[in-house]
Amino acid sequence: MTQIDAVGAQILTLLQEDGRMSNARLAEHLGMSETPCWRRLKRLEEAGVIEGYQAVLNRRKLGLGVMAFVQLRCSEHDQAATAEFQRIVQTTPNILACHNTTGADDFLLIVVARDLDDYSRFVDSTLRRLPGVTSIRSNLSLKEMKASNRLPVTPGR
């Protein structure tokens, strides 16, 4: 775990709000000169605290109106089945996230689709073909009340 001081926490918070913020503007917000600000930013990147930068897209404006939370139960857990499962999940763009979970089900996926017909086709063509899957339970999002990938950043952690 990387120790984050107050300035590092401010840098991370500001960049989570605006990943395109220039170093000059970042330094201005922090009340410091550009060179030390740039060095701190590079250290956070090199330490792996900042993994990359990306645009946040509006899924609805891209025609992806359905978001499903899918719970999968698997009967096969051997190395080959697990590797194939991971390969398919990682290469399928409609699957936004996949978590190996505790409880009755083995995996929780977040999936997007254009509409219910598209989601139905996705279940048939992809989810039902995953190795070892014995149960698929879907919960469709009716209203997204909060969506964020911003992490709480506290100095000293």
Side-chain angles (χ1 to χ4, degrees):
M1 186 170 102
T2 304
Q3 190 77 5
I4 305 295
D5 65 7
V7 173
Q10 285 180 296
I11 289 171
L12 296 172
T13 299
L14 287 167
L15 287 176
Q16 285 188 108
E17 292 172 12
D18 180 4
R20 294 182 67 186
M21 185 178 291
S22 69
N23 185 59
R25 197 161 137 235
L26 186 59
E28 182 182 319
H29 276 287
L30 298 169
M32 60 192 311
S33 63
E34 291 182 38
T35 302
C37 180
W38 181 83
R39 281 193 205 114
R40 283 177 160 273
L41 179 60
K42 288 300 165 198
R43 274 194 301 241
L44 290 167
E45 291 172 351
E46 289 166 3
V49 175
I50 298 173
E51 293 182 340
Y53 301 89
Q54 66 184 16
V56 178
L57 307 179
N58 183 316
R59 70 178 170 83
R60 285 193 168 87
K61 292 195 179 201
L62 292 171
L64 299 167
V66 170
M67 178 178 279
F69 299 90
V70 184
Q71 295 165 289
L72 300 177
R73 187 174 303 158
C74 297
S75 62
E76 296 179 37
H77 299 281
D78 62 73
Q79 192 173 10
T82 300
E84 179 63 5
F85 179 92
Q86 287 180 346
R87 185 194 68 73
I88 293 169
V89 165
Q90 290 172 355
T91 60
T92 303
N94 289 68
I95 300 174
L96 302 183
C98 176
H99 297 269
N100 186 211
T101 60
T102 62
D105 297 306
D106 297 303
F107 297 97
L108 175 65
L109 281 63
I110 300 174
V111 175
V112 292
R114 288 189 310 274
D115 53 32
L116 289 176
D117 290 335
D118 185 41
Y119 180 67
S120 178
R121 283 188 293 275
F122 177 79
V123 170
D124 288 338
S125 67
T126 303
L127 297 182
R128 287 196 173 131
R129 297 181 194 279
L130 288 169
V133 170
T134 58
S135 171
I136 300 171
R137 291 189 306 146
S138 299
N139 293 297
L140 300 178
S141 174
L142 299 176
K143 179 179 180 182
E144 192 171 275
M145 301 181 71
K146 180 180 180 179
S148 177
N149 59 358
R150 295 180 186 173
L151 299 174
V153 183
T154 307
R157 286 192 185 167

